[in-house]
Amino acid sequence: INSCLAFSGEAAAEAILRYNADICFFSCRGISDDGRLTDLSEPENEIRKKMIGNSAASYMLCTSDKKNKLYYHNLCSVEEITGMITVDGIKTNLSFR
């Protein structure tokens, strides 16, 4: 059972390929101390990657409990997204190196 009710799988991937977005807002489970965005769900990460790729800009919605967390599946690095939206505001030009 998909506990977070996410739309994933082949049908979701096909739907995303039909659209282009100005901005993609997404979330994932964690951001590692070296700037990798990660999650437990590989199918959900595949959908996130496709939507990020079909968007002119992409922003991770990041709460403090996601920082310095590393999960099984890599989504991308912070250098591959436009920015993060945190309680402190919008952060762009992200680099952890």
Side-chain angles (χ1 to χ4, degrees), residues 2 4-18 41-51:
N2 190 343
C4 66
L5 302 175
F7 185 39
S8 64
E10 189 175 326
E14 289 175 8
I16 287 170
L17 294 176
R18 292 192 297 264
S41 173
E42 186 174 18
E44 289 177 26
N45 265 355
E46 291 305 315
I47 297 305
R48 289 180 188 107
K49 286 178 189 179
K50 289 187 184 318
M51 196 66 236

Side-chain angles (χ1 to χ4, degrees), residues 26 28 37-39 45 48-49 52 73-77:
F26 70 94
C28 59
L37 307 182
T38 63
D39 199 89
N45 265 355
R48 289 180 188 107
K49 286 178 189 179
I52 289 168
H73 301 288
N74 292 316
L75 171 58
C76 62
S77 71

Side-chain angles (χ1 to χ4, degrees), residues 25-32 36-41 44-45 48 52 59-63 65-67 69 71 73-76 81 84:
F25 296 101
F26 70 94
S27 187
C28 59
R29 295 228 183 210
I31 179 168
S32 66
R36 286 180 286 163
L37 307 182
T38 63
D39 199 89
L40 292 171
S41 173
E44 289 177 26
N45 265 355
R48 289 180 188 107
I52 289 168
Y59 291 88
M60 178 185 176
L61 306 174
C62 187
T63 54
D65 61 322
K66 296 178 183 196
K67 295 178 182 175
K69 299 284 175 70
Y71 293 93
H73 301 288
N74 292 316
L75 171 58
C76 62
I81 63 172
M84 284 194 296

